[in-house]
Amino acid sequence: MYLVQQGQLGFDSMPKKLIKVTPSRLGVWNDCRRRFRMAYVDRPTPPRGGPWAHSTMGAVVHNALKALFDLPVERRTPDSAAALVGTHWKDDGFADPKQAAEFRGRAAGWVHDYVKETDVTDDPVGLERWVSAPVGTIVAEGRVDRIDQRGGELVIVDYKTGRHALSTDDARGSQALALYVLAARRTLRRPCTRVELHHLPTGTVAAWEHTEDSLARHLTRAEEAADEFQLAIDTHKAGGDPEVLFPPNPGRQCSWCDFRRNCAEGQAAGPAIDPWAMLSP
């Protein structure tokens, strides 16, 4: 029989539980603590607003490009890609069928031109691939649009359909892409440093080669945010005041918040916008 001395195996010696982190969770925490609570803590989740046209359009483009790579190489043509936009199209969030048809045509054009200018003959390592791996004090998780393998190394590819063209600074500063690099390395066990933002409306690619130092900086910021939100969650579970732990952050972003109807401060911050207001003019 073994005797354990007092304090020899106390709770202080137990390893700290890793915190699961996704880019969306970090983004919401940094944007508005009340929105974080309603999205990830409150159960049942408060009712959300309706669909947004720009989100619908982005999802359609992503689905069309994923479906394209499921085709045999000889069928991965620009015309096939454009047709897949129609296959996956939805009118959710648009003002009316006429507006939806206009933007369906735009999206088909973007995808057509993207495939025309992009080598799509190689099969990606992953499409809409979920990656998850312990890194530091967190478990970095997320769904990557596309993971290529080029010259023995992985490349993280993220499709963008927003109004504005993107720059190298956007690729370098993206915490989401950095976390995908860290998770993909561990999940797929291959080197990975390069990230790319493929902006379909302009046909441009913003790229960045991460270093161990730049990845470490992103990881540190993610760990700090994870510690903050986990402490707030644990304190809330122990009876802490949710209004103190998860305060609102009123601002212009309240006009398009999914939880606007549940937040008086958000409603007072400015008028709601139409579901199609964030489409490109």
Side-chain angles (χ1 to χ4, degrees):
M1 179 181 295
Y2 293 95
L3 297 178
V4 178
Q5 295 181 357
Q6 185 176 3
Q8 184 175 338
L9 293 178
F11 288 108
D12 290 343
S13 64
M14 296 179 65
K16 182 179 177 181
K17 184 178 180 180
L18 300 180
I19 304 168
K20 289 188 176 183
V21 168
T22 63
S24 59
R25 184 170 288 213
L26 289 173
V28 173
W29 175 255
N30 292 326
D31 181 51
C32 178
R33 308 294 167 87
R34 176 175 288 175
R35 182 179 164 215
F36 181 94
R37 189 199 82 210
M38 289 190 282
Y40 299 109
V41 180
D42 289 351
R43 293 294 180 269
T45 303
R48 298 174 182 262
W52 294 93
H54 69 281
S55 297
T56 296
M57 196 166 178
V60 168
V61 167
H62 281 70
N63 289 335
L65 289 172
K66 178 180 184 299
L68 180 78
F69 281 102
D70 289 335
L71 296 176
V73 172
E74 64 273 13
R75 293 180 57 196
R76 296 176 193 171
T77 66
D79 288 342
S80 294
L84 286 168
V85 169
T87 300
H88 291 273
W89 187 259
K90 295 181 179 180
D91 287 354
D92 297 348
F94 289 90
D96 51 42
K98 180 180 179 181
Q99 186 191 57
E102 176 190 347
F103 280 89
R104 182 174 66 244
R106 287 198 198 183
W110 295 346
V111 172
H112 176 281
D113 293 347
Y114 177 77
V115 173
K116 182 179 179 181
E117 300 298 328
T118 304
D119 183 1
V120 294
T121 57
D122 288 334
D123 290 332
V125 174
L127 290 169
E128 300 294 332
R129 171 67 185 264
W130 181 264
V131 292
S132 177
V135 189
T137 63
I138 66 173
V139 177
E141 297 185 331
R143 192 176 302 280
V144 188
D145 292 346
R146 196 173 92 210
I147 305 175
D148 291 345
Q149 179 163 325
R150 303 178 202 161
E153 295 196 2
L154 302 177
V155 177
I156 302 297
V157 174
D158 197 39
Y159 303 127
K160 295 296 182 184
T161 58
R163 296 182 177 188
H164 305 294
L166 301 168
S167 68
T168 299
D169 287 342
D170 293 308
R172 177 179 58 194
S174 172
Q175 189 173 60
L177 295 183
L179 291 179
Y180 292 154
V181 167
L182 293 169
R185 284 177 166 184
R186 299 287 295 273
T187 302
L188 300 173
R189 301 182 181 278
R190 297 177 218 177
C192 183
T193 57
R194 184 176 176 86
V195 298
E196 295 180 351
L197 295 169
H198 292 203
H199 188 246
L200 274 76
T202 58
T204 58
V205 174
W208 180 253
E209 293 280 353
H210 273 294
T211 65
E212 297 307 314
D213 286 344
S214 66
L215 290 170
R217 288 192 292 271
H218 278 290
L219 176 59
T220 296
R221 287 194 290 271
E223 289 175 326
E224 290 171 350
D227 285 340
E228 289 175 356
F229 72 62
Q230 191 60 53
L231 177 60
I233 291 171
D234 292 342
T235 305
H236 176 254
K237 288 180 178 178
D241 186 348
E243 296 302 317
V244 174
L245 297 168
F246 303 96
N249 180 34
R252 60 188 299 268
Q253 73 278 4
C254 296
S255 293
W256 58 84
C257 178
D258 287 338
F259 295 105
R260 175 184 172 83
R261 68 175 69 179
N262 309 292
C263 180
E265 290 87 348
Q267 294 173 32
I273 62 174
D274 292 321
W276 55 88
M278 298 176 72
L279 291 168
S280 299

